[in-house]
Amino acid sequence: MSTSYLLRAVWDEEPPATARAALQTCVLRLRRLFAKYGISATTIEAVPGGYRMHNDTETLDLVLFRTLTSRAGSAAGPGEELYRLREALSLWHGQPLANVASRLLQQDAVPALEQERLRVLERVCDLELAAGNCHQVLVDLYESARRHPVRERFTEQLIEALYRTGRQAEALAEYRTVRDRLRDELGIDPGPGLRRLELAILRAEDLAPAPPEPARAVTTADAPALPAGPAATTFRPGRTVLPVPAFAGRESDRRAMAARLTAADGPRLVVVSGAPGIGKSALAYQTAHEVQEAFPGGVSTIPLARPDGTAVAVEDAARLLPDADADPGAGRRLIVLDGAAGAWQVLPLLPATGDASVLVTSRRGLAAVVATHGGAVHRLDVLRPAEAHGLLAGLVGAERIAAEPAAAGQLASVCGHFPLALRIAAGRLLTRPGLSVADCAAWLAEDPPVRLALAEDARLSVPEVLGQALDALAPELREAFLRLGARDADEDLSVRESEAVLEQLVEAGLLEDGPPGPYRLHDFLRIYARWHVRTRKTTTAAPSAAAAAAATAVVSAPH
């Protein structure tokens, strides 16, 4: 852990002047406490820039939980997998870090930990249903569906369990309750899984237990979304790397990347960088699909970031790399390292890739990577108008978009021609067949940062994705970005900001260009920055308003 992260974890955004000294004292006390209970005082060691603590399955329950879930994926059968996952879940006792007051940890670490538990619980319920244990799993499903109403998979499992235990009316009532809540609170309809389940119940179809699918990692069919924990997919010869749905544009980038990756000699390393939501992962997966035939040894994808934006540890990512020595005659391989947080995460992995071609995506340019290993960097900009139109047509339907060409252009403009925002807008149109493109564009234009979000998945939310990028910045860079967002679009951004700060924002993917030309902030990011400032001011002012209201109530209350 870096010292700066630990300072924020303990004191949030307002550390005292003596914070670093106080942190050293805290570490010293921990070491003494460990020694008192027979644990080595060197468990916490100082390293350049921070501290490191060694843990294993004997000393940290989270390590044991992840080990058990990892072993479950290679279990001999569903029964053994279920046993191991149940054992892993038994380690959880209430909300994690419930007695820790850190706002940073409560906002960042706790949701990520809870997501890990919920994914395992979903898998357990799948296995129980496949085994026909519908009555036994109902207690887990009732609690999970009530506590996590937006997580539709729990609701699907609950409805299926009710139906298969002969409670058809309760199953349909559960579906309608969820449908009404989603429409009233979020303005969306249930997902396709729930709708198919309702139709099957209305038709009185037999939902006999089916063998559960084996635990799997992400595939390119899931792109551009990533798994929440470190997991890799290897596409062996004979399997297909699926294209990204409705991918549009980037022809010159794809051709250049394909030529570099399949070159007979020279560095076969490509870095795709750019702003958050600009389509880096989608381009990487699409390119992997198009060049797969050139890699008889297979295509492997290694996610280096979790959906909450936190980086996967280098050690965890290294364990996911394919073993080149395991099948030396397999032929050339392609490895996709997706979502790198920086060169520090990529450089230790490259020696283990051997002679494979490597495709890396990152918000950062990773200059240190290409400077030491060669290769090419593709810095992505927003889609051109024709490309944005093609993406919308591919997702929503060519006829529907062609019927309102001007409105489609306006919708693309509202989305800033960012692929992430365009996919979110398309999702809203697809779930509302009667909504015109013009009305959708007008509605989104009223408050783009808030309305460009799909409640089912934080990875399809502009506030979440851009918020993660902003949170990853040091406080001074975060404030500089927000100051730049307040400036006019035609204003020289280098005025009143140092070049060092601007260069760091370029490296973080939140600013474009630079010397010798002017620095440039995407209009869409500018809108988000201004929304973020307004939201922060409102949040800060809210307690004062509440206090004033309370004081007024006390004064005016009868005595």
Side-chain angles (χ1 to χ4, degrees):
M1 292 290 179
S2 67
T3 299
S4 61
Y5 180 86
L6 291 171
L7 292 175
R8 284 187 290 129
V10 177
W11 287 284
D12 293 313
E13 300 297 336
E14 299 179 358
T18 58
R20 290 185 178 271
L23 182 63
Q24 293 173 354
T25 302
C26 289
V27 172
L28 178 62
R29 289 177 179 172
L30 275 177
R31 287 171 174 161
R32 290 174 177 171
L33 185 65
F34 286 166
K36 177 181 177 182
Y37 288 96
I39 303 171
S40 171
T42 60
T43 297
I44 303 177
E45 61 179 8
V47 296
Y51 297 90
R52 178 188 293 122
M53 181 173 177
H54 296 280
N55 298 292
D56 54 29
T57 56
E58 299 297 322
T59 58
L60 190 65
D61 52 4
L62 183 60
V63 174
L64 179 57
F65 170 80
R66 288 170 175 167
T67 300
L68 290 171
T69 56
S70 176
R71 291 173 181 170
S74 58
E80 181 183 347
E81 182 185 357
L82 180 59
Y83 175 82
R84 289 182 177 179
L85 292 180
R86 284 287 190 191
E87 183 182 3
L89 286 175
S90 69
L91 297 172
W92 290 78
H93 302 282
Q95 182 78 3
L97 306 183
N99 62 334
V100 177
S102 168
R103 185 168 68 244
L104 174 70
L105 293 178
Q106 293 298 331
Q107 290 177 347
D108 296 347
V110 171
L113 292 172
E114 184 67 4
Q115 289 302 312
E116 284 193 61
R117 184 184 73 86
L118 293 178
R119 283 196 305 277
V120 173
L121 182 56
E122 280 185 359
R123 179 64 179 168
V124 164
C125 294
D126 279 336
L127 291 167
E128 295 279 21
L129 289 173
N133 302 328
C134 298
H135 285 286
Q136 295 90 319
V137 81
L138 272 174
V139 174
D140 284 336
L141 288 174
Y142 267 122
E143 179 184 4
S144 301
R146 298 296 184 268
R147 292 186 61 184
H148 308 282
V150 180
R151 203 176 181 99
E152 291 189 20
R153 182 60 190 143
F154 283 134
T155 303
E156 290 179 31
Q157 293 169 327
L158 173 60
I159 292 173
E160 180 183 345
L162 288 170
Y163 177 65
R164 285 171 53 188
T165 53
R167 298 151 74 172
Q168 178 180 359
E170 289 182 56
L172 287 173
E174 193 72 30
Y175 171 83
R176 285 160 188 164
T177 298
V178 171
R179 178 197 62 194
D180 293 343
R181 184 180 67 246
L182 290 174
R183 287 178 176 176
D184 294 343
E185 297 180 6
L186 303 175
I188 61 175
D189 290 320
L194 277 172
R195 295 199 298 271
R196 284 194 298 267
L197 190 56
E198 181 210 22
L199 186 59
I201 294 173
L202 291 173
R203 291 174 174 173
E205 295 178 3
D206 181 18
L207 298 181
E213 294 182 1
R216 69 175 185 92
V218 69
T219 71
T220 51
D222 302 315
L226 298 172
T233 297
T234 297
F235 299 94
R236 296 300 182 191
R239 296 187 63 185
T240 302
V241 183
L242 298 178
V244 175
F247 189 90
R250 314 285 196 201
E251 287 87 356
S252 60
D253 287 302
R254 283 149 55 196
R255 286 194 299 270
M257 290 165 61
R260 169 72 67 174
L261 294 171
T262 59
D265 51 16
R268 296 190 295 269
L269 171 66
V270 173
V271 173
V272 180
S273 68
I278 207 79
K280 301 179 292 294
S281 296
L283 175 59
Y285 284 118
Q286 181 67 19
T287 303
H289 160 73
E290 294 173 357
V291 301
Q292 61 183 321
E293 297 299 330
F295 297 96
V299 180
S300 301
T301 63
I302 313 294
L304 298 183
R306 299 180 175 86
D308 64 353
T310 57
V312 173
V314 173
E315 295 81 1
D316 292 336
R319 285 195 290 269
L320 300 174
L321 288 171
D323 185 0
D325 298 329
D327 190 4
R332 289 178 60 184
R333 298 169 297 129
L334 171 62
I335 297 174
V336 181
L337 302 177
D338 197 11
W344 63 267
Q345 200 179 21
V346 177
L347 288 172
L349 300 176
L350 291 180
T353 62
D355 62 350
S357 295
V358 180
L359 176 54
V360 188
T361 72
S362 176
R363 289 196 298 269
R364 299 184 174 275
L366 304 185
V369 173
V370 293
T372 55
H373 289 76
V377 177
H378 288 256
R379 180 82 176 189
L380 300 189
D381 206 336
V382 297
L383 295 176
R384 294 190 291 269
E387 295 173 331
H389 186 279
L391 178 58
L392 287 172
L395 291 169
V396 181
E399 292 184 3
R400 190 172 176 187
I401 295 300
E404 299 180 78
Q410 178 62 28
L411 180 60
S413 179
V414 170
C415 294
H417 296 89
F418 271 63
L420 171 66
L422 288 164
R423 288 185 178 273
I424 294 171
R428 292 204 171 273
L429 286 169
L430 286 169
T431 55
R432 294 167 177 79
L435 179 65
S436 71
V437 178
D439 287 342
C440 181
W443 181 74
L444 291 174
E446 293 177 4
D447 200 351
V450 174
R451 294 179 175 177
L452 280 168
L454 300 181
E456 300 95 325
D457 194 336
R459 293 165 294 187
L460 290 172
S461 165
V462 166
E464 287 290 334
V465 172
L466 297 186
Q468 289 173 7
L470 200 59
D471 291 342
L473 298 177
E476 60 273 16
L477 291 180
R478 192 180 312 140
E479 293 305 316
F481 170 75
L482 297 176
R483 285 196 303 271
L484 293 174
R487 312 264 281 274
D488 293 334
D490 57 353
E491 190 173 349
D492 185 354
L493 299 182
S494 61
V495 178
R496 299 196 301 273
E497 294 292 346
S498 71
E499 184 174 304
V501 167
L502 296 173
E503 282 296 304
Q504 289 182 73
L505 289 175
V506 170
E507 176 65 11
L510 295 173
L511 207 60
E512 299 301 319
D513 296 329
Y519 291 92
R520 176 171 57 94
L521 180 63
H522 285 303
D523 289 340
F524 192 70
L525 296 182
R526 190 187 309 277
I527 291 172
Y528 169 77
R530 293 177 176 179
W531 168 82
H532 188 280
V533 171
R534 289 198 311 271
T535 304
R536 187 170 60 177
K537 288 181 178 178
T538 303
T539 304
T540 304
S544 301
T552 303
V554 170
V555 171
S556 60
H559 296 281

